[in-house]
Amino acid sequence: MFYRESGDFKTSYSADQQTFPIRLDRHVVYGILAFAFLVVPFLINDYWEKSVLLPFLVWAMAALGLNILTGFCGQVSLGTGGFMAVGAYACYKLMVAFPWLNMFIVVILAGLITAMVGVVFGLPSLRIKGFYLAVATLASQFFLVWLFNKVPWFYNYSASGMISAPERTLFGIPVTGAEAPPWMTYLFCLTLVTIFAFIAHNLVRGRIGRSWMAIRDMDIAAEIIGVPPLKAKLSAFAVSSFYIGMSGAMLFALYLGSAEPNDSFGIAKSFLVLFMIIIGGLGSILGSFLGAAFLTLMPVLLKNIMVGWFGWPADLAAHLELLLIGALIMFFLIVEPHGLAQLWRVTKERLRLWPFPH
Amino acid sequence: MAELTQDGRKIGDILLEVKNITLAFGGVKALTNISFDIKEGEIRAIIGPNGAGKSSMLNVISGFYHPQQGEVWFRGQKRGPMRPYEVARQGIARTFQNIALFKGMSTLDNLMTGRITQMHTNILWQALWKGPAEREEIAHREKVERIIDFLGIQAIRKTPVGRLPYGLQKRVELGRALAAEAKLLLLDEPMAGMNLEEKEDMCRFILDVNEEFGTTIALIEHDMGVVMDLSDRVVVLDYGKKLADGTPNEVRNDPAVIEAYLGVGH
Ligand SMILES: Nc1ncnc2c1ncn2[C@@H]1O[C@H](COP(=O)(O)OP(=O)(O)O)[C@@H](O)[C@H]1O
Ligand SMILES: [Mg+2]
């Protein structure tokens, strides 16, 4: 049977604090990771790479980032698209300026640059909250997109105003550019997302995560018991922007190959990531993945069903898809306002005590 | 120097002293020229009718309100302008009149957050977890578990505090303040809204904390019986002014207090 244990039998605090305290969870997660790293690279093709796996990984990274800021620290942001743009343009400038630089380092540096920008745009959060902060971050969204449109230096004065990723190799194999094989781009993104998901988990379960959650739950009490609000909020902005910057860099360099501020990083993207964490679960690492999976994979699935199986015209399917996704979002929010992660947690709690629920 | 109480506890030097505190909100004077001290090891009660300025006084001590006039001295030093979290770091912990727990977090995490002033591993170690961050976490977890045992809240360790009944929430909030291992504990109406049994438990906890750990406690309480039982000295506020200051007996027999409380002449 699944989840048979019916009680807390941990005998040491380190066992109680481990990443996946339930043995079955541990096995499932490690099993998925082994499959993702060892099997998928042999099966992957262009379609799976570009339509399913890369978008999922890129948006999961963005959702992790926004969830740290909004879900864990309670600071609403509508600037995600803008910060992804910072990551993408930083990535582009770094790739061009230092062609020999390892792509992992490039993406991480792009994240760090975004973190610094995020801290600057996070400063208003020290004075304003809630809707007002959302509006302030919305302003940063528009400002950043405008900036990358208006200042040609960012796109190296290219005539089209677009940036495109030059070919870079890793172990002699192209990882960016048109020649990059699907398994390479996939493994690159998977490695980054896996590492940084564990890091996010480590951050939220310790001192820093608790300082974020304390600010989220009751900021005045948090300060009076010893949480410095400035440090807590700005560190959340920094870490969140770091993740979002990396996702922007991956979106541009690995997934799209070229980008342009309005289409690739517009306000729609900010809302998309916000939807992901709301549907997946605010304040949950797993929820970031579930939300990203839901909103990237569901459209693909619906399209395949409607166009592929039923043979409906593509434009009709596209409209129906939007309707269906909207309806599903509402359905999930009504059934479980705390998101898919909570739905999963509740089901698990029931299973763990089964068959004696009391 | 040290005096002994009747039950044999040691009362030491002055730990905290407020001098001539005046605090106004716009035109409303919440506190007028208030001075009193809190000695090391004692249980000090602050009483007075609603709106007397008791909570405001604690907020001044916490550094949350900044008085227009007056000084706060802590451990023999005059305190400059300070943010509340800096005050907490100096060793002052507190609970609130309206429960101010972190609702989305478990009991355990609330208590661990109470220790935040003493946790220091940097963000890079935290990201790695294995090593200093985990060791620090376990060391603090052990301290927190002792408080959990002391308060008898083992069963709700992993429960999100938002789901707990009122009385237990008050207890968890006390636990969070205790977790700080502060020099001075400020309790704002720790027994408000509790039934008799819960009140007795809370009294027991307060006395035990004071006796076992020698923690100095300043508490606001309405129940005069409780105040008389618990406290070594009482300061009485009324309309932001200090009415009386002394042992429970002295205060009880003070004509000004009797008048304010019993409304002599009305
Ligand atoms: N933040 C504030 N803004 C305006 N007035 C306040 C504030 N805090 C307290 N007061 C006023 O100060 C007076 C004392 O309040 P308080 O200290 O809460 O009294 P107590 O705790 O003794 O019941 C009241 O008149 C109250 O309205
Ligand atoms: Mg009060």
Side-chain angles (χ1 to χ4, degrees):
Chain A
M1 197 55 223
F2 293 122
Y3 293 112
R4 292 303 287 275
E5 42 171 325
S6 300
D8 211 338
F9 303 123
K10 300 294 178 320
T11 51
S12 78
Y13 297 138
S14 64
D16 196 40
Q17 282 158 228
Q18 62 191 315
T19 303
F20 304 107
I22 304 169
R23 192 183 303 139
L24 186 72
D25 278 4
R26 205 153 54 227
H27 291 324
V28 168
V29 170
Y30 292 155
I32 290 175
L33 280 178
F35 183 77
F37 273 100
L38 303 175
V39 181
V40 175
F42 294 101
L43 305 176
I44 195 169
N45 58 24
D46 264 352
Y47 176 77
W48 277 91
E49 179 214 20
K50 287 284 185 257
S51 301
V52 179
L53 294 168
L54 282 201
F56 166 66
L57 289 169
V58 166
W59 293 110
M61 187 74 113
L64 274 174
L66 186 62
N67 219 336
I68 284 170
L69 184 65
T70 303
F72 285 96
C73 196
Q75 312 297 304
V76 185
S77 166
L78 290 174
T80 313
F83 292 120
M84 288 180 78
V86 175
Y89 281 80
C91 176
Y92 172 66
K93 293 300 278 190
L94 287 167
M95 284 173 86
V96 174
F98 310 102
W100 40 266
L101 203 58
N102 180 300
M103 265 316 279
F104 279 111
I105 311 254
V106 169
V107 173
I108 288 171
L109 284 177
L112 288 175
I113 290 169
T114 316
M116 287 189 269
V117 176
V119 168
V120 173
F121 283 99
L123 286 174
S125 73
L126 304 174
R127 303 308 295 271
I128 53 180
K129 300 178 197 173
F131 280 121
Y132 299 95
L133 180 61
V135 172
T137 56
L138 191 61
S140 67
Q141 162 76 38
F142 287 120
F143 169 74
L144 289 167
V145 167
W146 172 84
L147 185 72
F148 292 121
N149 265 321
K150 276 289 170 275
V151 182
W153 178 80
F154 286 113
Y155 48 86
N156 279 6
Y157 308 92
S158 83
S160 61
M162 294 182 60
I163 52 174
S164 41
E167 180 175 294
R168 293 289 175 265
T169 57
L170 210 59
F171 312 115
I173 300 157
V175 64
T176 60
E179 298 303 310
W183 61 266
M184 190 65 188
T185 55
Y186 163 76
L187 274 182
F188 182 91
C189 292
L190 181 68
T191 308
L192 272 178
V193 171
T194 308
I195 290 173
F196 282 97
F198 277 101
I199 287 179
H201 171 75
N202 289 343
L203 289 178
V204 301
R205 66 171 151 166
R207 168 180 65 92
I208 290 175
R210 281 193 289 265
S211 76
W212 292 339
M213 290 186 276
I215 291 288
R216 170 195 71 190
D217 286 351
M218 193 152 282
D219 52 353
I220 290 173
E223 178 167 13
I224 291 178
I225 71 160
V227 177
L230 178 102
K231 253 184 159 176
K233 286 182 185 172
L234 291 188
S235 66
F237 266 97
V239 175
S240 161
S241 310
F242 176 64
Y243 277 72
I244 291 171
M246 286 194 297
S247 88
M250 281 158 48
L251 180 75
F252 154 66
L254 282 296
Y255 175 44
L256 298 176
S258 64
E260 183 272 338
N262 300 314
D263 287 346
S264 315
F265 306 109
I267 179 71
K269 297 301 189 298
S270 298
F271 279 112
L272 177 67
V273 184
L274 192 62
F275 288 158
M276 286 177 182
I277 63 169
I278 292 174
I279 294 167
L282 291 168
S284 158
I285 302 289
L286 174 67
S288 312
F289 283 93
L290 295 179
F294 187 84
L295 283 187
T296 53
L297 306 188
M298 196 53 78
V300 179
L301 184 70
L302 288 177
K303 188 175 164 202
N304 273 330
I305 294 175
M306 290 190 288
V307 181
W309 293 4
F310 299 160
W312 294 350
D315 56 339
L316 173 70
H319 289 296
L320 275 178
E321 178 193 309
L322 279 177
L323 275 176
L324 274 172
I325 300 245
L328 276 171
I329 291 176
M330 284 198 269
F331 171 76
F332 273 118
L333 289 183
I334 291 165
V335 174
E336 181 50 74
H338 297 293
L340 298 173
Q342 176 71 8
L343 206 61
W344 171 234
R345 202 153 40 225
V346 171
T347 318
K348 210 162 68 176
E349 266 175 30
R350 300 222 174 103
L351 283 174
R352 284 177 79 183
L353 295 174
W354 192 89
F356 306 110
H358 294 293
Chain B
M1 201 85 237
E3 331 159 16
L4 286 181
T5 59
Q6 283 174 340
D7 48 352
R9 288 173 305 122
K10 223 192 268 162
I11 307 285
D13 293 337
I14 291 173
L15 178 66
L16 180 130
E17 186 171 11
V18 292
K19 293 182 184 174
N20 310 103
I21 298 281
T22 296
L23 173 75
F25 298 101
V28 185
K29 273 199 173 174
L31 297 168
T32 313
N33 201 27
I34 305 282
S35 305
F36 64 89
D37 59 33
I38 302 172
K39 289 181 180 167
E40 216 161 332
E42 79 173 335
I43 299 182
R44 185 72 147 126
I46 303 173
I47 65 170
N50 263 331
K54 306 179 297 295
S55 297
S56 301
M57 192 66 239
L58 288 200
N59 282 332
V60 167
I61 297 176
S62 283
F64 183 58
Y65 287 167
H66 300 278
Q68 280 75 15
Q69 281 165 40
E71 298 168 356
V72 179
W73 288 64
F74 186 58
R75 302 170 90 175
Q77 299 233 318
K78 186 184 162 188
R79 208 165 77 185
M82 255 191 194
R83 305 282 308 169
Y85 72 89
E86 296 171 308
V87 172
R89 281 188 189 166
Q90 284 200 325
I92 298 182
R94 70 174 288 183
T95 65
F96 300 85
Q97 183 169 352
N98 304 310
I99 298 174
L101 284 171
F102 306 125
K103 291 260 155 58
M105 295 157 80
S106 66
T107 300
L108 180 62
D109 275 330
N110 268 277
L111 266 62
M112 289 293 283
T113 310
R115 295 195 64 79
I116 211 146
T117 52
Q118 303 176 38
M119 298 180 80
H120 304 291
T121 51
N122 68 37
I123 193 164
L124 294 177
W125 285 120
Q126 298 257 318
L128 192 63
W129 192 253
K130 287 284 164 213
E134 189 181 29
R135 278 200 298 279
E136 182 181 55
E137 185 85 2
I138 291 174
H140 288 269
R141 174 83 188 264
E142 278 162 4
K143 298 235 156 112
V144 160
E145 286 292 337
R146 256 179 265 158
I147 290 161
I148 288 178
D149 288 342
F150 171 71
L151 295 173
I153 49 177
Q154 296 90 340
I156 56 166
R157 202 187 265 123
K158 297 278 173 82
T159 314
V161 292
R163 281 198 222 155
L164 299 173
Y166 178 84
L168 270 182
Q169 291 198 9
K170 278 271 191 198
R171 200 183 284 196
V172 173
E173 208 194 12
L174 175 68
R176 187 179 67 186
L178 290 180
E181 292 185 308
K183 284 257 152 245
L184 174 62
L185 198 56
L186 309 172
L187 306 177
D188 196 343
E189 307 203 10
M191 284 162 252
M194 287 186 159
N195 63 34
L196 196 62
E197 194 188 335
E198 289 171 331
K199 273 190 186 180
E200 281 172 357
D201 284 345
M202 191 55 88
C203 279
R204 195 68 254 153
F205 292 138
I206 291 171
L207 284 172
D208 284 351
V209 168
N210 176 255
E211 262 171 47
E212 282 178 33
F213 310 115
T215 309
T216 310
I217 296 171
L219 69 95
I220 297 174
E221 185 45 58
H222 277 299
D223 187 326
M224 285 306 274
V226 168
V227 170
M228 297 300 150
D229 285 350
L230 280 182
S231 52
D232 299 302
R233 289 191 301 156
V234 184
V235 54
V236 189
L237 300 183
D238 191 23
Y239 291 111
K241 299 205 173 74
K242 188 163 103 170
L243 215 54
D245 190 352
T247 64
N249 256 326
E250 286 166 7
V251 164
R252 189 165 30 197
N253 298 320
D254 191 300
V257 177
I258 294 173
E259 187 176 349
Y261 265 78
L262 302 177
V264 176
H266 289 274

